[in-house]
Amino acid sequence: MQIYDELVARGLIAQVTDEKEIRDLVNNGKATFYIGFDPTADSLHVGHFMALCLMKRLQQAGNKPIALIGGGTAMIGDPSGRTDMRQMMTKETIQHNCDCFKKQMSRFIDFSEGKALMVNNADWLLDLNYVDVLREVGAHFSVNRMLTAECYKQRMERGLSFLEFNYMIMQSYDFYALYQRYGCNMQFGGDDQWSNMLGGTELIRRKLGKDAYAMTITLLLNSEGKKMGKTQSGAVWLDPNKTSPFDFYQYWRNVADADVLKCLRMLTFLPLEQIDEMDKWEGSQLNQAKEILAYELTSLVHGEEEAKKAQEGARALFSGVGNTANMPTAQLADADFEEDTIDIISLLQKTGLVPSRSEGRRAVEQGGVSVDGEKVTDTKAVIAKEKLQGDGIVLKRGKKNFRKVTLA
């Protein structure tokens, strides 16, 4: 199976502008393509996962990826999926975030010997002359057509600033600049970016002629992938200091039954034939599929050793036996105890399993808290300090959140 057909079979492609040409370029390793990443944080999250995996697949097939860091567009902010304007960031913050991105992307993409590029659109956007942009770029955009774009429709009721209105023009100019500087002939993005991407394709063709190779393709579930990056307890980051390898593993281990096969196809590099066999699995076998998913993705992001540790810790938790050394740990100091005891609400809060005492109380009352496998339903229950000596205790809130608690 050629790479384009594999992308289709894995459910990654939603829309294309020139399917025959795109298929030929990708299958023959002649695509120089880009995907953009706005540096709005100092770590990528699992919402970026699909794009990174796609770049890796295409590079392995001989194509050349360009990771475009939006140091310039981040000065404006993408209105897509937003109900309010993004907070402005300083140039120093943006540069720090860009540096963090490259380190994380290097686990997926080979940047050596010119096999891939990482570029920052601040290099050209920040030097643009406003009048030149109006004359050379703005003349090719219809305001009426721009206002029909979904990313702008969502903001019209609450107010769309002129600053954000320019985002489509800036993103379109990115493709034009990449085409001229690096011979970039293809762009990939989420389905929520389709209007912006079409703008770039049309800008190249209008300024350079219809023969200019400028093509677009969208990822089927990229906007859903962005939602993947968020959980009830916050974002799931690729930075191990923000989301531990264990918590990262647990996130994928706990995906819904209906999503596990979809995630295996779209995000792992397992052969499709192997994944298709899992389509026949049901019941407890789906838990095995989730383990495979969690292990493969944790290994991809954090390495095989960390994936093994996370798997061992998770199995120990679910079985109630085994080595707890690889579980996420919280340590308590002497000052955390009162008369050598600590109440269950304080324990939940100090270990980070709840953000407040009121939420801790609610978790206990709803029967979602246990210590060493025994449910705690009394909000006034206390834990003796001596119980935390040695291997400590396993404190659990709900099905997904827990800590091994020991003494410092």
Side-chain angles (χ1 to χ4, degrees), residues 329-386:
T329 300
Q331 291 187 321
L332 299 187
D334 290 341
D336 294 321
F337 295 88
E338 185 175 344
E339 296 182 357
D340 290 338
T341 64
I342 184 171
D343 66 271
I344 189 66
I345 307 299
S346 295
L347 185 61
L348 287 166
Q349 191 173 14
K350 287 182 182 294
T351 56
L353 290 178
V354 297
S356 65
R357 291 189 64 84
S358 59
E359 189 164 334
R361 188 175 295 106
R362 186 161 51 250
V364 172
E365 290 173 343
Q366 293 174 350
V369 175
S370 66
V371 174
D372 287 341
E374 294 186 10
K375 187 174 291 189
V376 179
T377 56
D378 183 2
T379 57
K380 296 181 180 179
V382 295
I383 307 297
K385 181 179 178 181
E386 61 180 333

Side-chain angles (χ1 to χ4, degrees), residues 50-290:
M50 194 181 306
L52 294 171
C53 291
L54 177 72
M55 296 175 87
K56 183 179 177 74
R57 292 183 207 281
L58 289 171
Q59 187 179 49
Q60 289 177 339
N63 299 285
K64 184 175 182 177
I66 298 176
L68 177 64
I69 304 299
T73 41
M75 301 291 287
I76 298 175
D78 183 1
S80 301
R82 303 282 298 186
T83 58
D84 55 5
M85 194 165 72
R86 293 184 186 273
Q87 184 177 356
M88 295 292 148
M89 296 186 294
T90 65
K91 291 182 181 180
E92 292 76 18
T93 298
I94 291 172
Q95 184 58 51
H96 171 71
N97 294 350
C98 291
D99 294 340
C100 294
F101 277 20
K102 183 167 186 178
K103 183 179 179 181
Q104 292 176 347
M105 286 180 179
S106 295
R107 292 199 66 93
F108 295 81
I109 305 165
D110 181 3
F111 289 100
S112 67
E113 301 176 354
K115 295 174 184 174
L117 297 175
M118 173 173 281
V119 297
N120 190 330
N121 63 14
D123 293 344
W124 54 82
L125 291 181
L126 298 188
D127 292 333
L128 288 175
N129 177 282
Y130 185 62
V131 174
D132 288 344
V133 171
L134 292 177
R135 289 172 59 87
E136 301 298 322
V137 182
H140 298 286
F141 285 82
S142 161
V143 171
N144 289 348
R145 186 171 178 182
M146 289 173 71
L147 289 175
T148 64
E150 197 62 37
C151 60
Y152 291 143
K153 280 183 182 179
Q154 297 173 5
R155 293 295 309 279
M156 290 299 290
E157 291 185 7
R158 297 191 57 176
L160 175 70
S161 71
F162 183 70
L163 177 75
E164 295 170 290
F165 186 64
N166 280 271
Y167 190 89
M168 181 185 291
I169 295 176
M170 295 295 96
Q171 183 171 328
S172 299
Y173 190 85
D174 281 344
F175 195 15
Y176 174 70
L178 290 169
Y179 182 89
Q180 291 196 302
R181 292 179 179 224
Y182 307 107
C184 180
N185 53 21
M186 197 176 299
Q187 59 179 331
F188 288 73
D191 53 1
D192 58 336
Q193 296 293 314
W194 184 242
S195 297
N196 295 342
M197 294 166 66
L198 288 179
T201 296
E202 292 178 7
L203 179 62
I204 291 174
R205 293 179 179 178
R206 287 180 181 178
K207 289 187 69 66
L208 303 178
K210 293 183 179 179
D211 292 336
Y213 267 124
M215 304 173 184
T216 57
I217 188 167
T218 67
L219 308 184
L220 177 60
L221 292 172
N222 195 278
S223 54
E224 181 175 318
K226 289 180 180 179
K227 297 174 186 176
M228 284 183 185
K230 300 289 185 180
T231 69
Q232 291 181 351
S233 57
V236 178
W237 304 100
L238 304 193
D239 183 344
N241 295 315
K242 287 177 170 288
T243 299
S244 71
F246 184 91
D247 288 334
F248 187 85
Y249 178 96
Q250 280 295 94
Y251 174 79
W252 296 107
R253 174 62 180 79
N254 290 299
V255 298
D257 290 355
D259 293 335
V260 61
L261 270 297
K262 177 173 64 180
C263 290
L264 280 165
R265 285 193 178 91
M266 300 178 84
L267 303 177
T268 75
F269 289 79
L270 295 175
L272 281 169
E273 296 81 6
Q274 180 180 347
I275 300 172
D276 289 340
E277 281 296 312
M278 297 182 196
D279 261 331
K280 306 170 186 175
W281 293 5
E282 5 179 86
S284 60
Q285 285 182 305
L286 286 177
N287 288 329
Q288 183 182 346
K290 292 178 184 181

